[in-house]
Each structure stands twice: as C-alpha cells, then as structure tokens.
Amino acid sequence: MTCALCGNPLNASNRSGLCFVCRYESNDAVPLELSVREKEILRLASDGNNSDSIAVKLDPPTTEQVVKNRLRYIRRKLDSGTTLEACCKALRRGLLV
C-alpha cells in the first residue's frame, strides 16, 4: 500500500491512504472551524486544565464527561491523537488566540 499523493509506502494500519507528511500538509490547507464552546474548551485544556476543572470553569458549568466527549470530537476534527497535539494544531492554524 502506498500514499495516494506521493507514492511512499504505508504501514498496514494506515487508514487514510496518505503518508504522515501528505496528511499533515493537506490537513493544514483545509479550512476548519471550531465552535466558540470548542475553542473555550481547547483554550482551557492548553492552559493545562484537566477535564474536571474545565467542566467547572465553563460558563455555564457542565460535567466532566461532556468535556471529555467534546475533546474527543475536537481531536477528531483536528485529526489529532492527543489533546496536546490538537492544541498545537489549533495554535498553528490560528484557531486559539
């Protein structure tokens, strides 16, 4: 199996059909919008808060599970494996100020 854009070999677990470099470059080119709430949650996460403290700091407050679900959705939107990676990608794209 090879990358659809550059032809580099892919490992068997790759489901995107693109190598890391092509996926990284193509994702940064795609315009992406985060909701105001998603930006607020990601900003609090980037400040080092855990899900429980984020839930309390939000206005209106919510539950830790809701925050975890939102973070999972944000990671999926940003094609990130971790919240830290999502924060870095959001900062690079100018989604967090």
Side-chain angles (χ1 to χ4, degrees):
M1 185 174 189
T2 60
C3 175
L5 295 177
C6 69
N8 284 333
L10 301 174
N11 62 26
S13 64
N14 185 309
R15 293 177 288 167
S16 70
L18 300 174
C19 68
F20 176 77
V21 173
C22 291
R23 189 175 72 213
Y24 175 81
E25 289 174 354
S26 66
N27 282 342
D28 280 350
V30 175
L32 177 73
E33 286 296 319
L34 294 177
S35 71
V36 173
R37 189 70 157 184
E38 289 170 337
K39 287 179 184 179
E40 186 179 10
I41 289 171
L42 202 54
R43 183 186 54 76
L44 289 167
S46 70
D47 289 340
N49 293 291
N50 63 19
S51 299
D52 191 36
S53 63
I54 292 172
V56 173
K57 291 178 181 182
L58 289 173
D59 184 32
T62 188
T63 66
E64 179 182 10
Q65 190 57 49
V66 169
V67 171
K68 286 181 179 182
N69 289 341
R70 288 278 188 133
L71 284 170
R72 185 172 53 242
Y73 183 68
I74 293 166
R75 287 192 306 267
R76 194 175 307 139
K77 265 185 164 179
L78 292 169
D79 192 31
S80 303
T82 65
T83 301
L84 176 62
E85 184 182 1
C87 291
C88 291
K89 285 185 175 185
L91 282 169
R92 191 173 339 113
R93 290 181 179 200
L95 299 172
L96 291 180
V97 180

